[in-house]
Amino acid sequence: MPTQSSKAKIAILGASGYTGAELLRLLIRHPHVEIVLLTADRRAGKPMAEVFPQFAPYKLPTLSAVEAADWQTLQLDLAFCALPHGTTQKVIAELLGRAPATKIVDLSADFRLSDPAAYARWYGHEHVAPDLQKEAIYGLTEVYRQKIKTARLVANPGCYTTCAELALIPLLQAKAIDPDEIVVDAKSGMTGAGRAVREDMLFAEVSEGFHAYGVGHHRHMSELDQEFSLAAGRAVTVSFTPHLVPMNRGILSTIYVRGLKDSLPEDLHAVLSKAYAHEPFVHVLPFRTLPATRHVRGSNMTFIGLAADRIKGRAIVVAAIDNLTKGASGQAVQNMNLMLGFPETMGLDQVALFP
């Protein structure tokens, strides 16, 4: 834990991806951190400015291979892991084996599911660090804030899941909606697919188009089921369909729900408004006012709106986040602030980029 007079020593593992670059964008202006390690295996030996020229004005560590890191000598306070799914388990196990006092915020999916059997079922292989999986705290900050403060390993939620869970968890906890009638229709910008070169992500393949993917079996379903079930106090299986939109950043989730106990849409709006009245990064809009992705672009905000459906008893909840910020790196920094004892909002924007 850093002292008041020193800065926290921070590493970003996987700094050459979109979430790694977003982490760096946020952390270079954070007053209480020092970035001492940046890794990127394919770009090892190169300066960060060669990968992302916007960082040219800043003095940063040269990118290195994660295998070359000397965890004991570095004496890290915290490491962000923005590595591909499936590879993070081994890296974190080795890091904590050599430097057990280091805190971890993992942005992959490797530690999000608390049930090892569920992980194996959804990801197609056994978890190689089951003891660490049991230790991990799910990093939805507004729900698990107190546990995150004392955690050594935090599993940052997925982008789609963050958007839908913040919109619905208070309603499920209040037993205000039917857990068996939840439909999440979500749309994400291109950066949600990562930075790896893929034929189906070429400009000509996605520009001027709009398509669904992962239909009926997207891995974020497992997270949604887990967290919605905990909130409802019973098993929940959610209907969720993601879509890819030809824009760089942002997620918009349109969610269809049915109220319980004669709850009116206005009642559901009141539940959400009360739940988030004092949250710095979640804002509930006036009834019938709905958000757009441009309202949150580049910020760590979640905007939530709610309107009545024309079908009696049903309501439509619309939530918007920036998938790279609140959906990934911004929430990771929010969790880091809690874990290291900094003000939770430090280094994070609450106002969207404009235009």
Side-chain angles (χ1 to χ4, degrees):
M1 183 72 69
T3 63
Q4 288 186 340
S5 60
S6 66
K7 291 188 175 183
K9 292 183 178 181
I10 302 297
I12 301 175
L13 312 183
S16 63
Y18 290 133
T19 55
E22 185 78 350
L23 278 167
L24 190 54
R25 179 180 78 87
L26 298 171
L27 292 172
I28 55 177
R29 52 194 178 148
H30 194 292
H32 295 319
V33 305
E34 177 188 3
I35 301 164
V36 299
L37 176 67
L38 298 172
T39 77
D41 288 355
R42 288 189 298 110
R43 309 289 185 119
K46 295 182 178 182
M48 190 65 177
E50 189 172 320
V51 181
F52 289 103
Q54 60 265 42
F55 296 118
Y58 302 95
K59 187 177 180 180
L60 297 166
T62 299
L63 292 165
S64 63
V66 69
E67 294 84 3
D70 186 342
W71 305 122
Q72 291 173 315
T73 302
L74 284 167
Q75 295 185 321
L76 297 172
D77 290 293
L78 184 141
F80 293 99
C81 290
L83 300 170
H85 305 326
T87 64
T88 305
Q89 302 160 37
K90 293 180 181 179
V91 172
I92 290 179
E94 180 183 351
L95 191 167
L96 293 178
R98 295 177 179 271
T102 303
K103 294 179 182 291
I104 306 287
V105 178
D106 178 29
L107 283 80
S108 81
D110 280 9
F111 293 95
R112 293 174 187 163
L113 300 184
S114 58
D115 180 4
Y119 177 87
R121 184 170 63 255
W122 283 92
Y123 288 90
H125 58 87
E126 297 296 323
H127 204 285
V128 301
D131 290 340
L132 289 176
Q133 188 182 25
K134 295 176 184 176
E135 177 185 338
I137 300 299
Y138 191 69
L140 191 65
T141 319
E142 287 73 14
V143 176
Y144 295 105
R145 180 175 283 115
Q146 295 308 314
K147 291 183 177 180
I148 290 167
K149 287 180 179 180
T150 58
R152 181 174 67 153
L153 171 58
V154 167
N156 225 53
C159 50
Y160 281 124
T161 51
T162 293
C163 194
E165 287 165 6
L166 289 174
L168 293 192
I169 282 177
L171 299 176
L172 288 166
Q173 289 175 334
K175 303 192 184 310
I177 59 173
D178 187 341
D180 294 323
E181 292 202 36
I182 297 172
V183 178
V184 180
D185 182 356
K187 302 92 178 170
S188 173
M190 295 292 298
T191 51
R195 201 175 184 220
V197 178
R198 291 166 43 187
E199 184 176 291
D200 63 341
M201 293 294 127
L202 294 174
F203 179 82
E205 301 292 330
V206 297
S207 178
E208 302 180 33
F210 173 36
H211 67 273
Y213 67 100
V215 178
H217 194 80
H218 189 282
R219 287 170 173 174
H220 280 188
M221 292 176 179
S222 57
E223 270 182 77
L224 292 173
D225 289 352
Q226 172 181 280
E227 296 306 310
F228 287 166
S229 296
L230 289 170
R234 46 155 285 195
V236 175
T237 303
V238 67
S239 179
F240 165 70
T241 303
H243 301 75
L244 197 63
V245 181
M247 62 183 182
N248 287 338
R249 344 172 33 130
I251 286 180
L252 188 80
S253 293
T254 305
I255 307 169
Y256 305 90
V257 298
R258 181 182 293 279
L260 286 177
K261 300 177 182 177
D262 298 321
S263 293
L264 297 172
E266 291 87 345
D267 300 325
L268 305 184
H269 181 267
V271 170
L272 289 171
S273 297
K274 182 179 179 181
Y276 293 123
H278 303 292
E279 287 293 345
F281 294 120
V282 183
H283 180 66
V284 180
L285 301 169
F287 187 61
R288 296 192 188 92
T289 302
L290 303 179
T293 57
R294 68 181 181 275
H295 300 158
V296 296
R297 188 169 67 94
S299 79
N300 199 51
M301 294 299 298
T302 303
F303 276 16
I304 302 173
L306 191 145
D309 196 339
R310 65 176 183 164
I311 301 172
K312 185 179 179 181
R314 298 195 67 91
I316 302 169
V317 185
V318 180
I321 63 170
D322 186 313
N323 60 295
L324 289 180
T325 316
K326 183 59 173 173
S329 304
Q331 186 164 217
V333 172
Q334 190 180 352
N335 287 328
M336 177 204 74
N337 284 336
L338 289 173
M339 297 166 77
L340 297 182
F342 303 141
E344 187 175 327
T345 59
M346 185 168 283
L348 294 168
D349 288 324
Q350 291 172 272
V351 179
L353 297 174
F354 184 83

